[in-house]
Amino acid sequence: MRRYNKNFRFADEIVSGDAIISAILGIISIIATLITVIYVVSVKGMASSKVGAVLLASLVAGITGLVFAILTIRANAGSSRSRRVVLTINIIAVLLIAGIWVCRIF
């Protein structure tokens, strides 16, 4: 006769709601940043202020996603792999925008 794991619960969350929100914000931030960079390169640096507004919105989305990722790590809901992935996505998004800002200064 086979023994079943008593700690197994079928209804455990694989990904928490905060992790989903964080992943969406991080991916939106990365995509908006890359599209902005491609557009600025294609117009040879002569972009309007609307492009800067899109980049600022991308920064806000990245930071908000990072906050949700930190909240997800502190919570016990969801798997640890999804928490690490979401945190990595948002750190990449914020570092990408910070790298653009640093390159603009020099």
Side-chain angles (χ1 to χ4, degrees), residues 96-106:
L96 186 65
I97 297 171
I100 291 170
W101 184 72
V102 168
C103 290
R104 185 185 63 101
I105 290 175
F106 298 112

Side-chain angles (χ1 to χ4, degrees), residues 22-30 33 58-71 73 82-100:
S22 178
I24 290 171
L25 287 172
I27 291 170
I28 288 173
S29 177
I30 290 172
T33 303
S58 176
L59 177 66
V60 170
I63 291 174
T64 305
L66 189 61
V67 168
F68 273 106
I70 292 170
L71 290 176
I73 287 177
S82 66
R83 290 184 252 172
R84 287 190 307 247
V85 167
V86 168
L87 183 65
T88 304
I89 289 172
N90 285 290
I91 287 174
I92 289 171
V94 172
L95 286 178
L96 186 65
I97 297 171
I100 291 170

